[in-house]
Structure formats: structure tokens, C-alpha cells
Amino acid sequence: YALKKTLRSLATPYFILNTIASFFHPLLRFTPGLCNWVGGNCTLDFYECEIYFFVICVVAIKNRRCVSVESYLSTLFVFAKAGAAILFYKMSIQLAIWYTIFCIVLMVTVRTPSFEESSEMKYFVDNTLPEQLKNDKHSIWVVEFYTTFSPHCNAVKPIFGALSREYTHDYMKFGKCDVLKSHGVPESYDISSSCLRTELPAIIVFEGGVPAARIKQTNNGKQYLMSYENLKRDLQLQEFYEKALEKSKNMKSAESNKKTENKKKK
């Protein structure tokens, strides 16, 4: 099921076209006929091997704590296309110029796909989060504290969206709080919004209006891998979801009993 969801998210123009652009150079170099057309044999020379090895090392280092396939590929595309541009320049200046123009047009016209999240996802700014928790203590709230410019927050975006789609319920709701637009709110829940610290993203599960479980990107100097399975397990989302189902069942039962009593009185 998880594999199907991942493949479905990758079947978009952004990933398809960027995959072609990233691997266009090896495609030309190893395809009989095409490699001769660009003026060379169908093998890599020492310089090309160096560039490929450098790109592989950089991508491996940048993605060493990657939490999603989409984030991994996005980083790969950047460095693979940069390496390809350098190699095309070595082959032909005209070819390098055309390839660079193609990559620029691709970057401008084909945007990174916005990952689906629950249609009931609520965004909090200013002091709206504490007010919501105060007025809706019957619901369990799962809230992500984030900033738009943080690479860690952007990497977790599709994972938090997938969790919201799976666990959103009448009594279990998901929200996101932009720390730069909610001054003082993150600190009230022991989350630093300072750019010098790497606690973001942080996710807190609120039950009865108070924190019941929490995860930070960095806690006591140790980084946490925010993968789908890790968040699901360590935030105990399945247990909270079952509580929400039980609460919904009890509320419906109470309403049914109340209607029955009213009918008897009549």
C-alpha cells in the first residue's frame, strides 16, 4: 500500500521530466548511435567518472537523513543536472547552452508538486492555536510547528500530509502552526523558534487541550528521523485514533439514549 502511494506521488510531470533531465547525459553517452552523434565513443572517460562520483557523494551526504523518497529525488535532481551541465560543456558549448536553457524552462514552468493533506487541515497563526485548544478540548489535536524556509520542515510535509489523511476524524484533528506568525506560542509549549536551533519541525499531540506526546527534529543534541513509521509509532497515533473512535461511539450512544428518553417522556 505504501509503495503504491509513493509511486502515485511520483507519477507527476515534475518527477518524470526532472528524471529525464537528470539522466540525459548518461542516456546520450551509453546509447549506440547517440553517443557517436555527439562526437565520442560509448564509454565514460576519467573526467566524467570523477564528476559522476562527486555527484553521488554529494547526494549521499545531503540525503543522509532524508525522510521521504520525494525529498531524496528533489535533491538528486539538483546536483545531477548541475553535473550534467558541466559534462555537456566539456562535450559541446552549444549542447551545454541548450541543456541549461531546458533546465531553466523546466524549473520555471514545472513546479514541485504540492503534497495532498487532509481537506480539514487547519492552519494556525497569532494566538489562534491556544484559543482552539481551549474551545475544543473534546478533540485530539495533532499540530506541526514549522517554518516555510526550513528544509527539514519541507521534507516532513508529505509525511505529515499522509498521516493527516489517514487519521483525521471528527474527534482527531490535524493542524499546522507557523512559528514566525505565532510569536510566543511555540515557546509556551517548550519549542524554540530560533533560527540558531534545529528543533523544527516539532509535532505535538494535544489531548484535552494539553500536550500528551511530542517529537522534535532535534532534542538534547540528538536528531530524530521523522519518517512515516517513526512518527506513527512514537506519537502513538493509532492509540489516539482508537480513543477518537471510542469517543465518537460513546457520543452517538449518549445521543441515542437521550432521544429514546425524550420519546418515552412524550
Side-chain angles (χ1 to χ4, degrees), residues 153-167:
C153 294
N154 290 329
V156 172
K157 187 185 297 184
I159 296 172
F160 191 73
L163 290 171
S164 71
R165 294 196 308 272
E166 182 173 352
Y167 288 108

Side-chain angles (χ1 to χ4, degrees), residues 94-225:
Q94 289 182 336
L95 196 57
I97 292 173
W98 282 112
Y99 179 77
T100 303
I101 293 173
F102 171 73
C103 290
I104 293 173
V105 172
L106 184 62
M107 180 180 64
V108 172
T109 58
V110 183
R111 298 291 185 180
T112 305
S114 56
F115 299 101
E116 293 182 8
E117 55 192 25
S118 170
S119 59
E120 299 179 15
M121 179 77 73
K122 187 162 185 177
Y123 288 82
F124 298 104
V125 294
D126 299 326
N127 203 45
T128 54
L129 175 58
E131 293 175 358
Q132 181 69 54
L133 295 174
K134 183 180 179 180
N135 298 328
D136 190 14
K137 292 185 177 181
H138 295 292
S139 298
I140 296 168
W141 278 93
V142 185
V143 180
E144 178 193 358
F145 294 82
Y146 74 103
T147 60
T148 55
F149 61 81
S150 167
H152 293 298
C153 294
N154 290 329
V156 172
K157 187 185 297 184
I159 296 172
F160 191 73
L163 290 171
S164 71
R165 294 196 308 272
E166 182 173 352
Y167 288 108
T168 293
H169 184 270
D170 290 342
Y171 290 96
M172 185 168 178
K173 302 171 183 178
F174 283 73
K176 303 182 77 169
C177 178
D178 189 335
V179 298
L180 296 182
K181 297 179 180 179
S182 306
H183 299 293
V185 174
E187 286 75 12
S188 66
Y189 300 115
D190 192 29
I191 296 173
S192 174
S193 58
S194 171
C195 297
L196 300 177
R197 303 182 67 178
T198 56
E199 292 186 353
L200 300 177
I203 302 174
I204 299 181
V205 180
F206 294 92
E207 186 176 19
V210 297
R214 72 172 65 222
I215 292 292
K216 296 180 182 179
Q217 174 67 32
T218 304
N219 195 11
N220 296 327
K222 296 182 179 179
Q223 284 198 341
Y224 178 83
L225 182 61

Side-chain angles (χ1 to χ4, degrees), residues 36-60:
N36 297 324
W37 174 71
V38 294
N41 52 30
C42 295
T43 57
L44 298 177
D45 59 28
F46 182 75
Y47 179 77
E48 290 173 321
C49 290
E50 279 188 323
I51 295 296
Y52 277 126
F53 183 73
F54 177 75
V55 169
I56 291 171
C57 289
V58 171
V59 171

